[in-house]
Amino acid sequence: MSTKFRLLIFISFLNLSGYSQIWQWSVKVNTTISAETNDHPQAFLWIPENCKQVKGIVFGQHNMVEEGILEHTYFRKVLAELGFAEVWVTPVISWIYDTAKNEDKIIESVFQSLAEVSGYKELAHVPIVPIGHSAMASFPWNYAAFNPQRTLALVSIHGDAPQSTLTGSSKPNPDWGNRNIDGIPALFIMGEYEWWKARIQPAYKYIAKHPKSVITLFADAGHGHFDYSDELVKYMANYIKAAGMHRLPSKQEISSFTTLKEVEPSSGWLMDKWRKDSIPQAVPASFDKFNGNRATSSWVFDKKMAMATESFYARARGKKQQFIGFKQNSKIVESLKNHANFQPKFVPKADGVTFNLSAFFSDSTHTKSASSHAVTKLQLDRICGPVKKVNDTTFQISFDKLGFNNAKRSCDIWLLAHNEGDKNYKSAVQQINIKFPLFNKSGRQQTIKFDALRDVTAIVKTVPLKAVSDQNTTVQFYVKEGPAFISGNTLYFSKIPPKSKFPIKVTVVAWQYGNQTGLQSATPVENHFFIKKE
């Protein structure tokens, strides 16, 4: 194999593994201050690399799974086909869309600022798909009700029905008055292992009161509150794609809002509500031919989506449940009666950032190994937080665009043990939470020297990064913003979307965490430069 060919394979691998985390632009949300950071939140923008005109935006905020969904390879693939951008904001700027606190104006300022910095002016006007998980799960409903002309579709993940009094955020929903979400496709998702009738009843009530609503009541069968499986992400992405096909006109103007087509309930299909471990009592059918209980039925776009939904349900139906426990350095982690269920202490290795954790199939107490379980692999992966996976039992602190100024989230790691099940056992999921000191404050001090980065032109493909600690420790890097990613000590540039406004800012941060046995964390050093067109 030639050296040139090996290099091409290496670069392709880097692009595949690093691409999904790229956010080409970011802006400070200067219209508000977050209580989490006492600073302005940061809004990040991703645009598909070949996008000539943005047709829509999927908008999410930083609660838990939103970031991972937006960075999922399949999700971005579908959005690229649609010409859709993504915007992610951290910390949250609007939990329930409270217009009394000007949250509507704050959100609009985000789209306008990103339109200006990116060169994609249409971001200020294109349709929005709001998504939100758990404590953020009421936001999509409320955004749609107050912005019906601009909302293409909405996705409420593992949380709230429209106008529910059982909000995940514990904040009361705003009064909709005479507002509604008629004709706006809405996907409500609740996991099997979090299923609670009281959480879905408000949806039945709302649909009965608003018969022109088109709401898909989806059970994430075999899954829980904290996870977003590949299958679920695919379902969400395909749902948004279907919404785009049904609602977007053939041509959209750059400088004005899009007139969206309203979806009529009669154009879709109905299917029986999800029934745990039992078959449907009515077969899916077109809206006018459905013979089941319409009061609790779920609306879907068409036969294809009805069949995909039923196939999803069938994979978990009637199978045995599995349980998962954890071991930390060969010792069983005791479960707790709290939101996380498992919260072991952070026990790093000598380098200060590496730690070990493993999952095992257990009995229902999560403390004893189970002799019978699925034959498929049990995996442990990141949900959110500054962490990267080395292998199935080894993880490392890995700071990223979130930075160091959020005392709640910058040092908070959530992992998920999961198994896809087999012909006898359902899929299983179990979350675990590890908090670590944001900075090591005892021991020797250390200082980072990070060489300044010069501006480059758009034809440059890589930039070497050089930073050293005066304590001879290994310095690591992350990209805070810009069309780039890092492998080792090299910065690689991704393809720049064709309508991008130059120069484009790239910000790289050098950090060294130290350890808990005698070396303090270094003060992170931030460098930025610009990509120029010529």
Side-chain angles (χ1 to χ4, degrees):
M1 184 184 293
S2 70
T3 302
K4 181 178 179 181
F5 188 61
R6 281 196 295 265
L7 179 61
L8 287 172
I9 291 176
F10 177 63
I11 291 174
S12 296
F13 171 74
L14 288 175
N15 284 333
L16 179 64
S17 62
Y19 180 84
S20 64
Q21 286 82 32
I22 289 173
W23 298 83
Q24 299 104 325
W25 295 273
S26 77
V27 294
K28 287 281 189 182
V29 186
N30 291 324
T31 49
T32 189
I33 296 289
S34 170
E36 285 188 14
T37 59
N38 293 318
D39 195 2
H40 299 294
Q42 196 86 9
F44 294 87
L45 168 66
W46 170 79
I47 290 178
E49 62 181 26
N50 295 315
C51 182
K52 296 179 180 179
Q53 180 182 348
V54 172
K55 304 293 182 66
I57 298 170
V58 178
F59 175 68
Q61 301 177 73
H62 188 180
N63 180 47
M64 182 170 283
V65 307
E66 294 90 347
E67 178 191 17
I69 291 168
L70 293 173
E71 293 184 345
H72 193 282
T73 301
Y74 184 87
F75 198 82
R76 285 195 167 184
K77 174 182 176 292
V78 171
L79 295 197
E81 294 170 1
L82 295 172
F84 277 27
E86 295 177 343
V87 173
W88 181 72
V89 182
T90 182
V92 168
I93 55 177
S94 174
W95 290 99
I96 57 166
Y97 203 73
D98 189 344
T99 57
K101 295 181 179 179
N102 292 321
E103 291 177 359
D104 52 339
K105 295 181 177 61
I106 293 169
I107 291 171
E108 286 307 308
S109 75
V110 168
F111 299 141
Q112 292 166 6
S113 295
L114 290 171
E116 177 60 31
V117 73
S118 68
Y120 283 78
K121 301 290 187 181
E122 61 269 27
L123 291 171
H125 304 102
V126 294
I128 306 298
V129 180
I131 69 170
H133 165 253
S134 189
M136 284 300 309
S138 268
F139 172 85
W141 300 106
N142 296 330
Y143 181 90
F146 282 81
N147 300 274
Q149 302 304 318
R150 194 174 183 185
T151 305
L152 176 77
L154 70 91
V155 184
S156 180
I157 309 160
H158 295 163
D160 305 344
Q163 291 288 273
S164 174
T165 57
L166 293 170
T167 60
S169 66
S170 299
K171 303 176 189 296
N173 276 311
D175 184 1
W176 286 11
N178 293 323
R179 298 178 180 87
N180 60 63
I181 53 170
D182 288 356
I184 301 174
L187 177 58
F188 169 86
I189 301 167
M190 187 158 53
E192 176 174 348
Y193 303 136
E194 62 174 347
W195 195 268
W196 186 12
K197 289 183 179 179
R199 296 196 77 93
I200 200 169
Q201 287 294 340
Y204 297 148
K205 181 179 179 181
Y206 181 86
I207 293 167
K209 187 177 180 181
H210 299 276
K212 294 197 71 175
S213 60
V214 282
I215 299 177
T216 302
L217 305 173
F218 182 76
D220 191 9
H223 295 276
H225 182 73
F226 295 86
D227 67 308
Y228 53 100
S229 65
D230 290 343
E231 294 78 13
L232 178 62
V233 172
K234 182 178 181 180
Y235 191 94
M236 287 187 282
N238 291 344
Y239 191 93
I240 293 170
K241 183 176 182 178
M245 292 173 60
H246 282 78
R247 304 206 67 200
L248 290 173
S250 58
K251 184 178 180 180
Q252 292 176 245
E253 298 297 327
I254 296 291
S255 58
S256 60
F257 291 98
T258 301
T259 301
L260 297 169
K261 303 172 188 176
E262 188 170 303
V263 177
E264 293 289 341
S266 59
S267 70
W269 276 47
L270 294 178
M271 55 189 306
D272 192 27
K273 71 176 183 179
W274 173 74
R275 300 174 186 275
K276 182 183 174 84
D277 293 331
S278 63
I279 62 174
Q281 293 183 359
V283 297
S286 58
F287 187 86
D288 59 333
K289 295 181 180 179
F290 181 70
N291 292 322
N293 184 351
R294 288 175 175 260
T296 58
S297 65
S298 174
W299 183 93
V300 292
F301 283 105
D302 49 30
K303 180 180 181 179
K304 181 180 179 181
M305 182 160 283
M307 295 302 101
T309 305
E310 173 53 28
S311 175
F312 196 108
Y313 294 169
R315 284 197 294 270
R317 184 178 295 136
K319 296 181 181 179
K320 301 174 186 177
Q321 188 171 351
Q322 302 182 95
F323 302 93
I324 299 172
F326 295 96
K327 291 182 180 180
Q328 184 181 48
N329 298 328
S330 301
K331 294 182 179 180
I332 290 176
V333 179
E334 295 293 330
S335 61
L336 303 172
K337 292 183 178 180
N338 63 9
H339 198 48
N341 293 156
F342 294 90
Q343 283 184 307
K345 292 182 178 180
F346 176 60
V347 184
K349 293 183 175 296
D351 65 2
V353 295
T354 302
F355 63 95
N356 290 116
L357 193 70
S358 62
F360 65 94
F361 289 107
S362 73
D363 64 5
S364 60
T365 69
H366 304 281
T367 61
K368 296 179 181 179
S369 294
S371 57
S372 298
H373 52 75
V375 296
T376 50
K377 187 178 180 181
L378 180 57
Q379 300 181 78
L380 189 56
D381 289 297
R382 173 184 181 267
I383 299 175
C384 62
V387 64
K388 70 177 179 181
K389 178 178 177 177
V390 178
N391 56 48
D392 282 336
T393 62
T394 308
F395 299 83
Q396 290 179 340
I397 293 173
S398 182
F399 292 104
D400 59 12
K401 61 186 178 296
L402 179 60
F404 300 86
N405 72 332
N406 191 320
K408 178 181 179 181
R409 301 181 190 272
S410 294
C411 51
D412 194 33
I413 292 170
W414 288 82
L415 301 173
L416 183 83
H418 59 103
N419 171 260
E420 65 181 17
D422 60 15
K423 64 180 182 180
N424 296 313
Y425 289 90
K426 294 187 182 193
S427 53
V429 292
Q430 181 60 62
Q431 72 281 358
I432 187 169
N433 176 226
I434 296 178
K435 300 179 186 296
F436 63 92
L438 185 52
F439 296 101
N440 289 308
K441 297 182 178 180
S442 61
R444 304 187 312 279
Q445 294 183 342
Q446 63 171 326
T447 302
I448 292 173
K449 181 182 178 183
F450 183 14
D451 290 352
L453 300 170
R454 296 180 179 180
D455 293 347
V456 300
T457 62
I459 63 171
V460 173
K461 301 301 181 185
T462 64
V463 169
L465 301 174
K466 184 178 180 181
V468 295
S469 162
D470 61 2
Q471 296 297 316
N472 295 318
T473 52
T474 301
V475 176
Q476 301 191 63
F477 306 92
Y478 68 83
V479 176
K480 181 178 178 181
E481 60 187 340
F485 62 93
I486 292 169
S487 180
N489 292 332
T490 302
L491 184 72
Y492 293 83
F493 296 106
S494 62
K495 184 177 179 180
I496 297 172
K499 227 166 60 172
S500 298
K501 178 181 177 180
F502 288 88
I504 302 172
K505 186 178 181 181
V506 180
T507 303
V508 180
V509 178
W511 61 276
Q512 217 299 322
Y513 186 65
N515 57 56
Q516 295 178 310
T517 59
L519 184 63
Q520 294 184 28
S521 300
T523 300
V525 179
E526 183 176 299
N527 267 333
H528 73 264
F529 65 97
F530 291 92
I531 302 173
K532 298 180 177 180
K533 195 167 187 177
E534 297 179 355

